[in-house]
Amino acid sequence: MAVQRLSTDSLNLSGNAQLHQQLYVSLRQQLLSGHWPGGALLPSERQLAADLQLSRSTVQQALQQLVAEGYLAPQQGRGYMIVEALPDGFFAASSSAVLPTMPLPTQDYGLTAKASGYSGYLQPGTANVQQFPFRLWQQLLQRHANRPALCNMADPLGYPLLRQALTQYLRQSRQLVCDENTILITAGAQQALFIAARLVARSGQKVLMESPGYPRLKQALQLAELQTSFIPAESASGLDPSSLPINSQAKALFLTPSHHYPCGGIMSLSQRLTLLNWAKNEQYWLVEDDYDSEFQYRHRPMASLQGLAGGQGVMFVGSLSKTLFPALRLGYLVLPPEIVGQASAIQQALHGDVPLLPQAVLADFINEGHFNRHLRKMRRLYQQQKQQAVALLQQHFPACSLLAKDAGLHLTLLLPALTDDITLCQQLNRHGFKLQPFSRYCFLNEPDRGLVIGIADADESKLVQLISLLKDALLKVDTGLRP
Amino acid sequence: MAVQRLSTDSLNLSGNAQLHQQLYVSLRQQLLSGHWPGGALLPSERQLAADLQLSRSTVQQALQQLVAEGYLAPQQGRGYMIVEALPDGFFAASSSAVLPTMPLPTQDYGLTAKASGYSGYLQPGTANVQQFPFRLWQQLLQRHANRPALCNMADPLGYPLLRQALTQYLRQSRQLVCDENTILITAGAQQALFIAARLVARSGQKVLMESPGYPRLKQALQLAELQTSFIPAESASGLDPSSLPINSQAKALFLTPSHHYPCGGIMSLSQRLTLLNWAKNEQYWLVEDDYDSEFQYRHRPMASLQGLAGGQGVMFVGSLSKTLFPALRLGYLVLPPEIVGQASAIQQALHGDVPLLPQAVLADFINEGHFNRHLRKMRRLYQQQKQQAVALLQQHFPACSLLAKDAGLHLTLLLPALTDDITLCQQLNRHGFKLQPFSRYCFLNEPDRGLVIGIADADESKLVQLISLLKDALLKVDTGLRP
């Protein structure tokens, strides 16, 4: 059988890449298109170089790459043969269509996709980043940014100086029972919650959380494939320990005892003690999400469950997103000593090390007093903003309950039962607001309706605009509650 | 019944905190100690102030905090009563022992804890961070470190400019079919692998990976509670598609086709096509871990599976740990467009946003040409180091196979079957080396023995020291292979 010799007319060299790369891409395109049959021979190197006005070595480089990749086989003295072994008909006309466009199934955990990265007015979960001492932070970054030691492997629990600084802070401010060997630095509080979920339960096992409660905790539990039951939380005092189940076979209760999210209830000491007693009797882990206790305005935060329990039986989750800024993505998990190694192993399987540079910067920021100074300043500022927001909302919506007034960076405004709070939030979004519909926080029975409002950036003009938009929207809801 | 009036003699004010805090802590200590019975009355504010030589307002602040926390109840005109509702006998003598020290069970996924954060000589998985252009990186950090926009919420897929820069790079260098909307920036490649595992399979479902293979991938699959079967990978050509199962009901195959980890096999084009055909017929996802294709020294990297498959049916995992530095903790996952939103939702449930500052810095680093420049420099340097390491090891251990010679930042030296490579690595560790025992990468049958050696910092003195230590160690193994 005569061997077909191919023409190079169809080769098209273009682009900014080096010439041998252009030739490689063009040859590969021809090969993948199927126009050059298996067994046919390419012109010799010399012929190709002459035809294409390229140097011999340029041609050689491109051909050797194609040999290495298995497209061509060198034939001594005859040139390069198109490899016959390629599966017949495998290539379509274009190199970008080897496989038919047939989406394979993926697993569905019922998770909600994040809509956008856009930050809107009065968004809950953010901090007032405009007030952050950037110049100082930049100086600290400069101090550490050229240290090769911070570019390599990290200690399994996180940067030691940060662990020391944080545990000292937590012992003082939260009466935690902890030291640098019982804290795991995490890449944010969400990761800490997921690690806690994996520690307490395997897929199919049961855990409890609050309703209303934190939607992103619910998502973490869904992703861990846990069965979740919901415990009602009252707006005044948070979770009611008398509603806790007996012999439920669940492994853990996740809760926000210092400041219920998003309703603002604060568990009293006797509730806390009842809860601890229940957890001891029922052999439950408690996962204490202490997401904003830095911003109590009326009194110091309540004693932590972790401290009351002497560090046993409680996993304590903390965040720096609200005290510093969300994109810092640092959090921590304080654990009984005997499970710290396990938590770190889970983090390594899930994620690997937490970046070291921000940890080193934060350690200095705390140790040099800037953290406490920033907290004091922000506590005053947020308190003013909260008082102003409460006053304005109460004045204009006297019939609506306003929750979480005394602490934290958010407010929850309850709206008439017929309000479609999801659509309302979408409408407000068109005006630059990014509030959250309260019904998304309710996981039991018929959800209540309302708005979860962030006050980190609440100035009067935004509040007045929000109130005006809300009035318009509520006029359209037939509830008799027209303001 | 007469009400007991308590004495304040036992109060002990000390520490650096403000006076009202000291008083609060001391009172709380007394209350928790159980020495003060429920129903008893504290002396009046005035009396306390006089006894302790504190101002009235200091005393008031401390007492009000304790009232808020539920320890005390104000009794009009009589002072403050110790709350009776506290559970009897709940408090032990010390406040830090409310719950008995009874560790609760946690879940065991068979994960290996990370030993330490210490980086040793010839450690695999690192980069030569000494060669990193820190001054330039610092300048880029300064450029972005004071931008409030980078401190807040992120786009669900990551920083847009980085996604653009990376997809352009990946199209050119790896012929990927991708754009900025089909890439998800992850907090490192390990996270990308875990997200891929959750996308392809639920707990209990089956996936395949290579053996020998990447131990940290195995850990991620264990944490996701997947059943894992192992496909043998040959040292010369990586995974052998003819050994792939038919009708196995598994959901995905995880593999390192461009450079098998840690044996160095490179799958030929025809193997790749056979593999793609198999995956199409069997309805498997392929998860292509492209962890080091930047460091091919003989030829350009082979066409990616993702590119050959036109972007369908393949999840492509990339890392910046080796090209830049490990503690950067940035990676990416290139996905078919229809599942990008799902992957992002999994990332949000698992972790939340990826930090923005390093993403912005990296985008500029790529777009301004520094990334390609750094890659070219490091490719030359690593190639030299690898050649030197290969030459020295082959010279001194001519009977031992040396794998992964042609690409990447590691070498695998196979040792006699009787070598206890785990103990050997521990011994070497005492001399500052951090090699990995090859048996830890083998998941089928009797593991082979050997050392996985990082060459990122391989200079001649370290290699000569390693060879000398190895010779000593091998002399003690009775194999007849004494060098």
Side-chain angles (χ1 to χ4, degrees):
Chain A
M1 194 179 88
V3 168
Q4 185 181 350
R5 284 257 167 205
L6 300 167
S7 139
T8 53
D9 295 350
S10 53
L11 290 176
N12 174 24
L13 272 54
S14 63
N16 302 320
Q18 290 178 283
L19 277 173
H20 69 92
Q21 279 194 357
Q22 293 182 27
L23 177 58
Y24 159 80
V25 169
S26 182
L27 282 167
R28 182 170 172 274
Q29 188 73 26
Q30 288 297 315
L31 290 160
L32 291 172
S33 73
H35 292 148
W36 287 355
L41 279 177
L42 273 184
S44 67
E45 270 173 32
R46 184 183 310 196
Q47 186 68 45
L48 274 170
D51 286 1
L52 299 165
Q53 298 183 297
L54 296 171
S55 77
R56 191 76 185 265
S57 78
T58 298
V59 172
Q60 221 165 18
Q61 269 185 285
L63 291 174
Q64 275 166 8
Q65 173 69 23
L66 291 163
V67 170
E69 293 188 358
Y71 292 95
L72 299 178
Q75 305 285 301
Q76 198 139 29
R78 298 171 68 211
Y80 293 87
M81 191 179 73
I82 314 292
V83 168
E84 285 184 291
L86 299 189
D88 262 359
F90 202 93
F91 294 119
S94 138
S95 68
S96 64
V98 172
L99 276 186
T101 316
M102 172 201 53
L104 287 169
T106 47
Q107 305 303 319
D108 182 13
Y109 302 92
L111 303 174
T112 316
K114 187 179 176 186
S116 80
Y118 164 73
S119 300
Y121 300 142
L122 305 181
Q123 179 170 4
T126 64
N128 188 338
V129 295
Q130 304 291 340
Q131 295 292 328
F132 188 74
F134 283 112
R135 189 165 301 179
L136 179 63
W137 192 260
Q138 269 180 309
Q139 283 164 9
L140 297 178
L141 268 173
Q142 285 304 88
R143 187 187 291 174
H144 293 288
N146 60 354
R147 293 175 53 199
L150 294 182
C151 293
N152 227 314
M153 304 305 175
D155 188 281
L157 303 185
Y159 191 64
L161 288 179
L162 177 60
R163 290 189 277 125
Q164 286 161 17
L166 276 177
T167 50
Q168 199 180 349
Y169 164 74
L170 291 168
R171 282 197 298 253
Q172 279 173 9
S173 69
R174 304 295 291 119
Q175 284 87 46
L176 286 205
V177 177
C178 62
D179 63 40
E180 63 184 281
N181 298 314
T182 61
I183 188 168
L184 174 70
I185 306 296
T186 62
Q190 186 70 18
Q191 180 176 78
L193 290 170
F194 191 82
I195 292 171
R198 292 274 72 180
L199 276 170
V200 298
R202 296 182 79 90
S203 64
Q205 292 181 331
K206 196 168 145 187
V207 295
L208 309 180
M209 68 171 279
E210 300 163 313
S211 174
Y214 184 39
R216 293 189 61 204
L217 166 63
K218 181 164 172 277
Q219 307 249 312
L221 302 177
Q222 280 169 235
L223 184 64
E225 298 181 86
L226 306 186
Q227 270 190 63
T228 308
S229 294
F230 300 96
I231 307 294
E234 306 293 323
S235 61
S237 60
L239 185 136
D240 175 8
S242 72
S243 63
L244 288 168
I246 304 294
N247 294 326
S248 81
Q249 306 295 318
K251 302 287 179 188
L253 167 63
F254 290 73
L255 76 169
T256 52
S258 300
H259 188 224
H260 176 269
Y261 193 73
C263 298
I266 296 174
M267 284 181 83
S268 70
L269 182 67
S270 73
Q271 279 183 310
R272 282 163 201 252
L273 296 173
T274 308
L275 176 70
L276 287 172
N277 228 350
W278 167 84
K280 183 178 71 168
N281 292 335
E282 298 284 321
Q283 297 265 306
Y284 267 67
W285 279 104
L286 297 175
V287 183
E288 178 173 23
D289 183 0
D290 199 63
Y291 67 103
D292 76 351
S293 65
E294 288 84 359
F295 301 112
Q296 290 277 0
Y297 309 124
R298 295 250 171 144
H299 48 71
R300 290 169 36 129
M302 292 288 249
S304 61
L305 293 174
Q306 201 270 4
L308 286 172
Q312 285 301 317
V314 181
M315 304 184 185
F316 183 93
V317 174
S319 166
L320 293 148
S321 294
K322 290 180 185 62
T323 48
L324 298 175
F325 54 88
L328 181 60
R329 309 303 303 135
L330 288 177
Y332 45 88
L333 191 52
V334 179
L335 297 162
E338 61 275 9
I339 63 167
V340 175
Q342 245 179 309
S344 162
I346 289 175
Q347 184 183 47
Q348 288 295 322
L350 196 65
H351 179 95
D353 295 341
V354 175
L356 283 167
L357 179 58
Q359 294 186 65
V361 169
L362 178 57
D364 284 2
F365 192 77
I366 298 175
N367 284 328
E368 295 172 14
H370 310 302
F371 184 63
N372 276 329
R373 204 152 35 240
H374 184 60
L375 273 185
R376 282 197 295 275
K377 169 182 149 187
M378 297 312 289
R379 199 180 283 125
R380 278 196 301 274
L381 182 72
Y382 288 143
Q383 181 169 22
Q384 286 163 14
Q385 291 179 179
K386 185 145 228 181
Q387 284 168 349
Q388 189 184 36
V390 168
L392 275 165
L393 289 165
Q394 281 181 333
Q395 176 191 339
H396 289 272
F397 304 102
C400 294
S401 296
L402 198 54
L403 310 179
K405 294 193 288 285
D406 295 340
L409 307 189
H410 71 276
L411 280 167
T412 299
L413 180 73
L414 294 186
L415 293 174
L418 293 176
T419 317
D420 175 356
D421 55 3
I422 293 174
T423 306
L424 179 58
C425 285
Q426 286 162 355
Q427 287 165 0
L428 293 169
N429 195 252
R430 275 176 233 128
H431 297 273
F433 291 90
K434 206 164 176 187
L435 312 188
Q436 291 292 328
F438 181 62
S439 59
R440 289 245 172 91
Y441 298 68
C442 300
F443 313 119
L444 280 168
N445 313 322
E446 185 59 26
D448 289 328
R449 309 305 171 120
L451 297 173
V452 181
I453 303 168
I455 60 102
D457 70 344
D459 66 27
E460 189 162 351
S461 70
K462 281 170 206 155
L463 286 166
V464 167
Q465 193 197 347
L466 174 70
I467 285 165
S468 151
L469 289 167
L470 271 181
K471 281 184 174 170
D472 291 349
L474 292 179
L475 276 178
K476 295 174 197 146
V477 183
D478 182 21
T479 58
L481 192 134
R482 291 175 192 175
Chain B
M1 196 179 84
V3 167
Q4 185 183 349
R5 284 255 168 208
L6 299 169
S7 138
T8 53
D9 295 349
S10 53
L11 290 176
N12 173 26
L13 271 57
S14 61
N16 301 321
Q18 289 178 282
L19 277 173
H20 69 91
Q21 280 193 359
Q22 293 180 25
L23 177 59
Y24 159 80
V25 169
S26 182
L27 283 167
R28 184 171 170 274
Q29 188 73 25
Q30 288 297 315
L31 290 160
L32 291 174
S33 72
H35 292 148
W36 287 355
L41 278 178
L42 273 184
S44 69
E45 271 173 31
R46 184 182 311 193
Q47 187 65 47
L48 274 170
D51 287 359
L52 299 165
Q53 298 184 293
L54 296 170
S55 77
R56 192 73 188 266
S57 77
T58 297
V59 172
Q60 222 165 17
Q61 269 185 284
L63 292 173
Q64 276 168 5
Q65 173 69 22
L66 291 162
V67 169
E69 293 188 359
Y71 291 94
L72 298 178
Q75 305 287 301
Q76 198 137 30
R78 297 172 68 210
Y80 293 87
M81 191 180 72
I82 314 292
V83 167
E84 285 183 290
L86 299 189
D88 262 358
F90 202 93
F91 292 122
S94 138
S95 68
S96 65
V98 171
L99 275 186
T101 316
M102 172 201 52
L104 288 169
T106 46
Q107 305 303 320
D108 181 14
Y109 302 92
L111 303 174
T112 315
K114 188 181 174 185
S116 80
Y118 164 73
S119 300
Y121 300 143
L122 305 182
Q123 180 171 3
T126 63
N128 188 337
V129 294
Q130 303 291 342
Q131 295 290 327
F132 189 73
F134 282 112
R135 187 165 300 180
L136 179 63
W137 193 259
Q138 270 180 309
Q139 283 164 8
L140 298 177
L141 268 173
Q142 284 304 86
R143 187 187 291 174
H144 292 288
N146 61 352
R147 293 174 55 197
L150 295 183
C151 294
N152 227 314
M153 305 303 176
D155 188 282
L157 303 185
Y159 191 65
L161 287 179
L162 177 60
R163 290 189 276 125
Q164 286 160 19
L166 275 177
T167 49
Q168 198 180 350
Y169 164 74
L170 290 169
R171 283 198 297 255
Q172 280 175 6
S173 70
R174 306 293 292 117
Q175 284 89 46
L176 285 206
V177 177
C178 63
D179 63 40
E180 63 185 280
N181 297 314
T182 61
I183 188 168
L184 175 70
I185 306 296
T186 63
Q190 186 70 16
Q191 181 177 76
L193 290 171
F194 191 82
I195 293 172
R198 292 274 74 178
L199 276 169
V200 299
R202 295 182 79 89
S203 64
Q205 290 181 333
K206 194 168 147 188
V207 294
L208 309 180
M209 69 171 279
E210 300 163 312
S211 174
Y214 184 39
R216 295 189 61 204
L217 166 63
K218 181 163 171 279
Q219 307 249 312
L221 303 177
Q222 280 169 237
L223 184 65
E225 299 182 83
L226 306 185
Q227 272 192 60
T228 308
S229 294
F230 300 96
I231 305 295
E234 307 292 323
S235 60
S237 60
L239 185 137
D240 174 9
S242 72
S243 63
L244 288 167
I246 304 295
N247 295 326
S248 80
Q249 306 296 317
K251 300 290 178 185
L253 167 64
F254 290 73
L255 75 169
T256 50
S258 300
H259 188 223
H260 175 269
Y261 192 73
C263 299
I266 296 174
M267 284 180 81
S268 70
L269 182 68
S270 73
Q271 278 184 310
R272 283 164 199 251
L273 296 173
T274 307
L275 175 70
L276 287 171
N277 227 352
W278 167 85
K280 181 178 73 168
N281 291 335
E282 298 284 319
Q283 297 265 307
Y284 268 64
W285 279 104
L286 297 175
V287 182
E288 178 173 23
D289 183 359
D290 199 62
Y291 67 102
D292 77 350
S293 65
E294 287 83 359
F295 301 112
Q296 290 276 0
Y297 309 123
R298 295 252 170 142
H299 48 71
R300 290 170 37 129
M302 291 289 250
S304 61
L305 293 174
Q306 201 271 3
L308 287 173
Q312 285 301 318
V314 181
M315 304 184 185
F316 183 93
V317 173
S319 166
L320 293 147
S321 294
K322 291 181 185 62
T323 48
L324 297 176
F325 54 89
L328 180 61
R329 309 302 304 138
L330 288 177
Y332 45 87
L333 192 52
V334 179
L335 297 161
E338 61 274 10
I339 64 167
V340 176
Q342 245 179 307
S344 163
I346 289 176
Q347 184 182 47
Q348 288 295 321
L350 196 66
H351 179 96
D353 294 341
V354 175
L356 283 167
L357 179 58
Q359 293 186 65
V361 169
L362 178 57
D364 284 3
F365 192 79
I366 298 175
N367 284 327
E368 294 173 15
H370 310 301
F371 184 63
N372 275 329
R373 204 151 35 240
H374 183 61
L375 273 185
R376 279 197 297 274
K377 169 182 149 187
M378 297 311 289
R379 198 180 285 124
R380 275 196 303 273
L381 182 72
Y382 288 143
Q383 181 170 22
Q384 285 163 13
Q385 292 179 179
K386 186 145 227 181
Q387 284 168 349
Q388 188 185 36
V390 168
L392 275 166
L393 289 166
Q394 282 181 333
Q395 177 192 338
H396 289 272
F397 303 102
C400 294
S401 295
L402 197 55
L403 310 179
K405 295 193 288 284
D406 295 340
L409 307 188
H410 71 276
L411 280 168
T412 298
L413 180 72
L414 294 186
L415 293 175
L418 293 177
T419 316
D420 176 356
D421 54 3
I422 294 175
T423 306
L424 178 59
C425 285
Q426 286 163 354
Q427 287 165 358
L428 293 169
N429 195 255
R430 276 177 233 130
H431 297 274
F433 291 91
K434 208 164 174 186
L435 312 188
Q436 292 292 330
F438 181 62
S439 59
R440 290 246 171 90
Y441 298 68
C442 299
F443 312 119
L444 279 168
N445 312 322
E446 184 60 26
D448 290 326
R449 309 303 171 122
L451 297 173
V452 181
I453 304 168
I455 61 100
D457 69 345
D459 64 28
E460 189 162 350
S461 69
K462 281 170 205 154
L463 286 166
V464 167
Q465 194 197 346
L466 174 71
I467 285 165
S468 151
L469 290 166
L470 271 182
K471 279 184 176 170
D472 291 349
L474 293 180
L475 277 177
K476 296 175 196 147
V477 183
D478 184 21
T479 58
L481 192 135
R482 293 180 191 172

